[in-house]
Amino acid sequence: MDTLNDLRQYGGAHAYLQTCPSPPVLSLLTSKWALLTVGALQQGPLRFNALRRSLDGVTQKMLTQALRTLGFVDH
């Protein structure tokens, strides 16, 4: 079974092509805290301190960095 299917014929893209939109998305989610932040915000928006309390172990600096990476906070 070929696991590297070219999905362009079905309206998708091949993950290894430069034009595929998935690599930039994946690069955003490579941060542990960015990924956990997305999960914590899945149910809806939270104020910063509520979000910080829900992510046990995250520092203010790391949460701010994760939110900036995800585009939730201006640089």
Side-chain angles (χ1 to χ4, degrees), residues 5-69:
N5 294 326
D6 187 345
L7 301 175
R8 288 176 289 182
Q9 64 186 357
Y10 304 109
H14 191 291
Y16 294 105
L17 294 177
Q18 289 181 352
T19 57
C20 182
S22 62
V25 173
L26 293 173
S27 71
L28 287 175
L29 298 177
T30 57
S31 160
K32 167 187 169 181
W33 292 116
L35 185 59
L36 292 173
T37 300
V38 169
L41 294 172
Q42 188 175 16
Q43 299 299 315
L46 291 171
R47 295 180 72 79
F48 184 87
N49 285 324
L51 180 58
R52 187 173 169 201
R53 284 190 297 274
S54 72
L55 297 171
D56 188 34
V58 70
T59 63
Q60 180 175 343
K61 178 182 176 182
M62 291 307 297
L63 181 55
T64 300
Q65 184 177 350
L67 291 170
R68 284 183 177 151
T69 299

